[in-house]
Amino acid sequence: MHLWPRFAVVLAAACAFTQQQPAPVEVVPVRGSAYLIRGGSGANAGLIVAAREAILIDAKMTEDTARAMFEAIRKVTPNPVRRVILTHSDGDHINGLAGFPKEVTVIAHANARRDMEEAAKNPKFGFLSAWMPRELVSADKRLDVEGVRVELRHFGPAHTDGDLVVWLPAERVAYVGDLLFIGRDPLIHRHKNGNSVGLVATLKKLVELEADTYVSGHAEPVGKDEIRKLIASLEATQDKVRSLIAQGRSLDEIKAAFGVTGAPATPGRRPGLVEVIYLELTEKK
Protein backbone atom coordinates (compact mmCIF):
# COMPACT_ATOMS: atom_id res chain seq x y z
CA MET A 1 0.00 0.00 0.00
CA HIS A 2 1.38 3.39 -0.99
CA LEU A 3 1.05 6.08 1.67
CA TRP A 4 2.00 8.99 -0.57
CA PRO A 5 -1.51 9.91 -1.85
CA ARG A 6 -2.88 10.00 1.72
CA PHE A 7 0.16 11.95 2.92
CA ALA A 8 -0.25 14.38 0.03
CA VAL A 9 -3.87 15.05 0.98
CA VAL A 10 -2.90 15.65 4.61
CA LEU A 11 -0.02 17.91 3.55
CA ALA A 12 -2.26 19.89 1.21
CA ALA A 13 -4.83 20.31 3.97
CA ALA A 14 -2.14 21.43 6.40
CA CYS A 15 -0.80 23.96 3.88
CA ALA A 16 -4.30 25.32 3.27
CA PHE A 17 -4.83 25.64 7.03
CA THR A 18 -1.52 27.46 7.39
CA GLN A 19 -2.39 29.86 4.58
CA GLN A 20 -5.69 30.72 6.26
CA GLN A 21 -4.09 31.71 9.55
CA PRO A 22 -4.22 35.46 10.15
CA ALA A 23 -0.99 37.39 10.35
CA PRO A 24 0.40 38.00 13.84
CA VAL A 25 -0.85 41.08 15.63
CA GLU A 26 1.61 43.97 15.42
CA VAL A 27 1.60 47.57 16.60
CA VAL A 28 3.04 49.90 13.96
CA PRO A 29 4.02 53.55 14.57
CA VAL A 30 2.14 56.11 12.47
CA ARG A 31 3.23 59.45 13.92
CA GLY A 32 3.87 60.73 17.42
CA SER A 33 1.41 59.14 19.83
CA ALA A 34 -0.57 57.44 17.01
CA TYR A 35 -0.19 53.76 16.12
CA LEU A 36 -1.82 51.27 13.76
CA ILE A 37 -2.63 47.75 14.99
CA ARG A 38 -2.95 45.15 12.25
CA GLY A 39 -3.01 41.38 12.01
CA GLY A 40 -5.08 38.80 13.85
CA SER A 41 -8.81 38.42 13.19
CA GLY A 42 -10.82 41.49 12.37
CA ALA A 43 -10.24 44.98 11.09
CA ASN A 44 -7.28 47.23 11.79
CA ALA A 45 -7.35 48.93 15.17
CA GLY A 46 -5.58 52.02 16.45
CA LEU A 47 -3.64 52.99 19.55
CA ILE A 48 -3.04 56.38 21.14
CA VAL A 49 -0.26 56.49 23.73
CA ALA A 50 -0.41 59.36 26.21
CA ALA A 51 1.82 60.06 29.20
CA ARG A 52 0.25 57.58 31.59
CA GLU A 53 -2.51 55.81 29.69
CA ALA A 54 -3.33 54.41 26.29
CA ILE A 55 -6.56 54.52 24.29
CA LEU A 56 -7.59 51.87 21.79
CA ILE A 57 -9.61 52.53 18.66
CA ASP A 58 -11.75 49.49 17.86
CA ALA A 59 -11.49 46.01 19.34
CA LYS A 60 -10.86 43.54 16.50
CA MET A 61 -13.01 40.43 16.01
CA THR A 62 -12.23 37.65 18.48
CA GLU A 63 -11.35 37.26 22.13
CA ASP A 64 -8.07 35.53 21.26
CA THR A 65 -7.01 38.33 18.90
CA ALA A 66 -7.92 40.95 21.51
CA ARG A 67 -5.68 39.23 24.04
CA ALA A 68 -2.88 39.06 21.47
CA MET A 69 -3.41 42.76 20.80
CA PHE A 70 -2.92 43.61 24.47
CA GLU A 71 0.26 41.54 24.52
CA ALA A 72 1.54 43.45 21.49
CA ILE A 73 0.63 46.78 23.11
CA ARG A 74 2.67 45.91 26.22
CA LYS A 75 5.74 45.69 23.99
CA VAL A 76 5.15 49.33 22.98
CA THR A 77 4.02 50.91 26.24
CA PRO A 78 3.45 49.89 29.86
CA ASN A 79 0.56 52.35 30.06
CA PRO A 80 -2.81 50.78 30.88
CA VAL A 81 -5.59 50.87 28.30
CA ARG A 82 -8.45 52.61 30.08
CA ARG A 83 -10.69 53.48 27.13
CA VAL A 84 -11.65 52.09 23.74
CA ILE A 85 -13.36 54.21 21.10
CA LEU A 86 -15.50 52.31 18.58
CA THR A 87 -15.64 53.76 15.08
CA HIS A 88 -18.90 51.87 14.45
CA SER A 89 -20.72 48.66 15.34
CA ASP A 90 -19.55 46.00 12.84
CA GLY A 91 -18.50 42.70 14.38
CA ASP A 92 -14.96 42.78 13.01
CA HIS A 93 -14.46 46.01 14.99
CA ILE A 94 -16.27 45.17 18.25
CA ASN A 95 -16.49 41.42 18.93
CA GLY A 96 -12.97 41.36 20.36
CA LEU A 97 -14.36 43.26 23.36
CA ALA A 98 -14.86 39.83 24.92
CA GLY A 99 -11.09 39.71 25.51
CA PHE A 100 -10.78 43.18 27.07
CA PRO A 101 -10.13 43.90 30.75
CA LYS A 102 -13.40 44.63 32.54
CA GLU A 103 -12.27 48.09 33.66
CA VAL A 104 -11.97 49.46 30.11
CA THR A 105 -14.57 52.14 29.32
CA VAL A 106 -16.26 51.80 25.91
CA ILE A 107 -16.98 55.02 23.97
CA ALA A 108 -19.17 55.04 20.85
CA HIS A 109 -21.83 56.91 18.95
CA ALA A 110 -25.33 56.47 20.38
CA ASN A 111 -26.45 54.73 17.18
CA ALA A 112 -23.57 52.26 17.44
CA ARG A 113 -24.81 51.32 20.90
CA ARG A 114 -28.29 50.81 19.44
CA ASP A 115 -26.82 48.39 16.88
CA MET A 116 -24.86 46.57 19.58
CA GLU A 117 -27.99 46.17 21.68
CA GLU A 118 -29.74 44.66 18.67
CA ALA A 119 -26.83 42.29 18.00
CA ALA A 120 -26.75 41.20 21.65
CA LYS A 121 -30.27 39.77 21.28
CA ASN A 122 -28.66 36.93 19.33
CA PRO A 123 -27.33 34.40 21.88
CA LYS A 124 -24.16 34.10 19.80
CA PHE A 125 -23.38 37.75 20.55
CA GLY A 126 -24.97 38.00 23.96
CA PHE A 127 -21.55 38.73 25.46
CA LEU A 128 -21.84 42.24 24.02
CA SER A 129 -24.33 43.08 26.76
CA ALA A 130 -21.39 43.36 29.16
CA TRP A 131 -19.62 45.76 26.80
CA MET A 132 -22.25 48.33 25.96
CA PRO A 133 -20.75 51.81 25.50
CA ARG A 134 -21.04 53.88 28.67
CA GLU A 135 -19.86 57.14 27.12
CA LEU A 136 -22.06 58.05 24.18
CA VAL A 137 -21.22 60.58 21.47
CA SER A 138 -23.96 62.10 19.32
CA ALA A 139 -22.06 65.18 18.12
CA ASP A 140 -18.45 66.33 18.09
CA LYS A 141 -16.54 65.75 21.31
CA ARG A 142 -13.03 66.63 22.48
CA LEU A 143 -10.94 64.52 24.83
CA ASP A 144 -7.74 65.85 26.40
CA VAL A 145 -5.69 62.82 27.38
CA GLU A 146 -2.60 63.95 29.30
CA GLY A 147 -1.55 66.40 26.65
CA VAL A 148 -2.85 64.46 23.66
CA ARG A 149 -5.81 66.20 22.04
CA VAL A 150 -8.32 63.71 20.63
CA GLU A 151 -11.35 64.89 18.68
CA LEU A 152 -14.32 62.66 17.95
CA ARG A 153 -16.27 63.67 14.85
CA HIS A 154 -19.61 62.43 13.53
CA PHE A 155 -20.45 63.69 10.05
CA GLY A 156 -23.82 61.96 9.63
CA PRO A 157 -24.90 58.62 8.10
CA ALA A 158 -22.26 57.13 5.80
CA HIS A 159 -21.01 53.54 6.23
CA THR A 160 -23.55 53.38 9.09
CA ASP A 161 -25.38 56.10 10.99
CA GLY A 162 -23.11 55.53 13.98
CA ASP A 163 -19.69 56.26 12.46
CA LEU A 164 -17.09 58.13 14.50
CA VAL A 165 -13.86 59.64 13.20
CA VAL A 166 -11.05 59.86 15.74
CA TRP A 167 -8.81 62.79 14.83
CA LEU A 168 -5.51 63.74 16.45
CA PRO A 169 -4.81 67.33 15.30
CA ALA A 170 -1.22 67.49 16.60
CA GLU A 171 -0.28 64.25 14.86
CA ARG A 172 -2.41 65.11 11.79
CA VAL A 173 -3.76 61.56 11.90
CA ALA A 174 -7.40 60.49 11.57
CA TYR A 175 -8.78 57.03 12.34
CA VAL A 176 -11.79 56.50 10.07
CA GLY A 177 -12.95 52.89 10.52
CA ASP A 178 -14.82 51.64 7.45
CA LEU A 179 -15.40 55.03 5.85
CA LEU A 180 -12.50 54.21 3.52
CA PHE A 181 -12.08 51.12 1.41
CA ILE A 182 -9.12 51.15 -0.96
CA GLY A 183 -9.03 48.91 -4.03
CA ARG A 184 -12.65 47.78 -3.69
CA ASP A 185 -16.12 49.28 -3.62
CA PRO A 186 -17.15 51.09 -0.46
CA LEU A 187 -19.36 49.08 1.88
CA ILE A 188 -22.58 50.78 2.91
CA HIS A 189 -24.90 49.20 5.48
CA ARG A 190 -28.46 50.18 4.61
CA HIS A 191 -29.67 48.05 7.53
CA LYS A 192 -27.73 50.43 9.79
CA ASN A 193 -29.03 53.51 7.94
CA GLY A 194 -25.87 54.13 5.93
CA ASN A 195 -26.16 55.76 2.51
CA SER A 196 -23.96 56.75 -0.41
CA VAL A 197 -24.88 60.44 -0.36
CA GLY A 198 -23.82 60.65 3.26
CA LEU A 199 -20.65 58.73 2.52
CA VAL A 200 -19.62 61.22 -0.16
CA ALA A 201 -20.39 64.13 2.18
CA THR A 202 -18.39 62.50 4.98
CA LEU A 203 -15.41 61.81 2.71
CA LYS A 204 -15.39 65.48 1.73
CA LYS A 205 -15.35 66.39 5.43
CA LEU A 206 -12.37 64.06 5.91
CA VAL A 207 -10.46 65.92 3.21
CA GLU A 208 -11.21 69.18 5.02
CA LEU A 209 -9.55 67.92 8.20
CA GLU A 210 -5.99 69.12 8.69
CA ALA A 211 -4.80 65.52 8.53
CA ASP A 212 -2.03 64.00 6.47
CA THR A 213 -2.67 60.35 7.31
CA TYR A 214 -5.95 58.42 7.39
CA VAL A 215 -5.98 55.04 9.11
CA SER A 216 -8.84 52.77 8.03
CA GLY A 217 -10.11 49.36 8.98
CA HIS A 218 -9.09 47.40 5.91
CA ALA A 219 -6.15 49.09 4.18
CA GLU A 220 -2.79 50.65 4.79
CA PRO A 221 -2.82 54.34 5.80
CA VAL A 222 -3.49 56.78 2.96
CA GLY A 223 -3.48 60.52 2.33
CA LYS A 224 -5.94 63.02 0.89
CA ASP A 225 -5.29 62.09 -2.74
CA GLU A 226 -6.67 58.60 -2.26
CA ILE A 227 -9.79 60.03 -0.62
CA ARG A 228 -10.30 62.49 -3.47
CA LYS A 229 -10.06 59.63 -5.97
CA LEU A 230 -12.65 57.68 -3.99
CA ILE A 231 -15.00 60.68 -3.94
CA ALA A 232 -14.68 61.10 -7.72
CA SER A 233 -15.33 57.39 -8.27
CA LEU A 234 -18.39 57.40 -6.01
CA GLU A 235 -19.87 60.47 -7.64
CA ALA A 236 -19.27 59.01 -11.09
CA THR A 237 -21.06 55.82 -10.07
CA GLN A 238 -23.98 57.80 -8.65
CA ASP A 239 -24.23 59.85 -11.86
CA LYS A 240 -24.17 56.76 -14.08
CA VAL A 241 -26.82 54.95 -12.03
CA ARG A 242 -28.99 58.08 -12.06
CA SER A 243 -28.64 58.33 -15.85
CA LEU A 244 -29.51 54.67 -16.40
CA ILE A 245 -32.57 54.96 -14.18
CA ALA A 246 -33.68 57.97 -16.25
CA GLN A 247 -33.37 55.74 -19.33
CA GLY A 248 -35.78 53.26 -17.77
CA ARG A 249 -33.21 50.56 -17.07
CA SER A 250 -34.01 47.88 -14.52
CA LEU A 251 -31.78 47.06 -11.56
CA ASP A 252 -30.49 43.95 -13.31
CA GLU A 253 -29.66 45.96 -16.43
CA ILE A 254 -27.90 48.62 -14.38
CA LYS A 255 -25.87 46.03 -12.50
CA ALA A 256 -24.94 44.41 -15.82
CA ALA A 257 -23.78 47.80 -17.12
CA PHE A 258 -21.30 47.86 -14.21
CA GLY A 259 -20.32 44.23 -14.66
CA VAL A 260 -21.99 43.31 -11.37
CA THR A 261 -23.41 39.81 -11.09
CA GLY A 262 -25.48 38.13 -8.41
CA ALA A 263 -29.05 38.06 -7.17
CA PRO A 264 -30.78 41.05 -5.58
CA ALA A 265 -30.29 41.62 -1.87
CA THR A 266 -32.07 39.28 0.51
CA PRO A 267 -32.13 39.11 4.33
CA GLY A 268 -28.99 36.97 4.12
CA ARG A 269 -27.15 39.07 1.54
CA ARG A 270 -26.37 42.76 1.75
CA PRO A 271 -26.60 44.91 -1.40
CA GLY A 272 -23.44 46.06 -3.13
CA LEU A 273 -22.63 49.65 -3.98
CA VAL A 274 -24.49 49.88 -7.31
CA GLU A 275 -27.60 48.32 -5.80
CA VAL A 276 -27.41 50.61 -2.76
CA ILE A 277 -27.31 53.68 -5.00
CA TYR A 278 -30.15 52.34 -7.14
CA LEU A 279 -32.32 51.73 -4.08
CA GLU A 280 -31.57 55.19 -2.72
CA LEU A 281 -32.57 56.83 -6.01
CA THR A 282 -35.74 54.81 -6.55
CA GLU A 283 -37.23 54.36 -3.09
CA LYS A 284 -40.28 56.43 -2.30
CA LYS A 285 -39.67 59.33 0.01
Side-chain angles (χ1 to χ4, degrees), residues 12 17 73 90 108-109 134 142-143 165 268:
F17 178 78
I73 290 170
D90 285 0
H109 191 276
R134 287 184 284 171
R142 173 172 169 171
L143 304 175
V165 172

Side-chain angles (χ1 to χ4, degrees), residues 174-233:
Y175 295 90
V176 300
D178 283 357
L179 294 172
L180 284 180
F181 281 87
I182 305 299
R184 52 163 287 188
D185 281 345
L187 181 62
I188 297 170
H189 290 321
R190 278 175 58 86
H191 65 293
K192 294 182 179 180
N193 302 313
N195 66 77
S196 71
V197 174
L199 180 57
V200 169
T202 292
L203 292 173
K204 289 179 178 179
K205 291 293 185 181
L206 291 183
V207 171
E208 292 175 6
L209 289 178
E210 294 182 2
D212 299 322
T213 305
Y214 299 82
V215 180
S216 66
H218 300 278
E220 290 298 300
V222 299
K224 293 185 188 293
D225 286 347
E226 287 84 355
I227 300 177
R228 292 190 182 102
K229 290 176 184 177
L230 178 55
I231 293 169
S233 175

Side-chain angles (χ1 to χ4, degrees), residues 57-181:
I57 301 161
D58 288 335
K60 290 200 166 281
M61 191 171 187
T62 67
E63 182 175 350
D64 287 346
T65 291
R67 296 188 189 285
M69 179 167 62
F70 277 92
E71 290 179 8
I73 290 170
R74 282 192 286 270
K75 297 176 182 178
V76 173
T77 177
N79 294 358
V81 174
R82 296 199 176 105
R83 289 176 274 191
V84 57
I85 302 167
L86 303 179
T87 61
H88 62 292
S89 60
D90 285 0
D92 57 335
H93 294 255
I94 70 169
N95 288 351
L97 287 169
F100 275 49
K102 294 296 184 183
E103 62 271 17
V104 174
T105 297
V106 182
I107 303 170
H109 191 276
N111 292 337
R113 177 179 171 118
R114 175 207 65 205
D115 295 336
M116 291 174 67
E117 289 173 341
E118 184 63 29
K121 295 177 182 178
N122 183 332
K124 182 178 179 182
F125 304 110
F127 66 88
L128 289 174
S129 296
W131 290 105
M132 288 298 153
R134 287 184 284 171
E135 291 189 21
L136 299 181
V137 180
S138 295
D140 295 348
K141 183 173 183 176
R142 173 172 169 171
L143 304 175
D144 289 301
V145 188
E146 298 170 333
V148 179
R149 179 177 161 191
V150 180
E151 295 196 10
L152 307 183
R153 297 291 185 91
H154 174 69
F155 297 119
H159 174 62
T160 73
D161 66 355
D163 302 317
L164 282 183
V165 172
V166 183
W167 178 39
L168 280 63
E171 284 78 5
R172 301 178 69 91
V173 173
Y175 295 90
V176 300
D178 283 357
L179 294 172
L180 284 180
F181 281 87

Side-chain angles (χ1 to χ4, degrees), residues 35-47:
Y35 294 78
L36 161 69
I37 304 176
R38 59 189 176 199
S41 296
N44 294 334
L47 177 70

Side-chain angles (χ1 to χ4, degrees), residues 158-159 181 184-191 194-197 199 234 237-238 241 251-252 254-255 258-266 268-281:
H159 174 62
F181 281 87
R184 52 163 287 188
D185 281 345
L187 181 62
I188 297 170
H189 290 321
R190 278 175 58 86
H191 65 293
N195 66 77
S196 71
V197 174
L199 180 57
L234 267 168
T237 300
Q238 290 172 327
V241 172
L251 173 59
D252 286 342
I254 292 173
K255 288 168 67 176
F258 283 90
V260 176
T261 59
T266 64
R269 190 190 70 80
R270 305 299 181 190
L273 177 64
V274 171
E275 191 167 341
V276 164
I277 295 172
Y278 173 87
L279 293 171
E280 290 174 9
L281 293 173

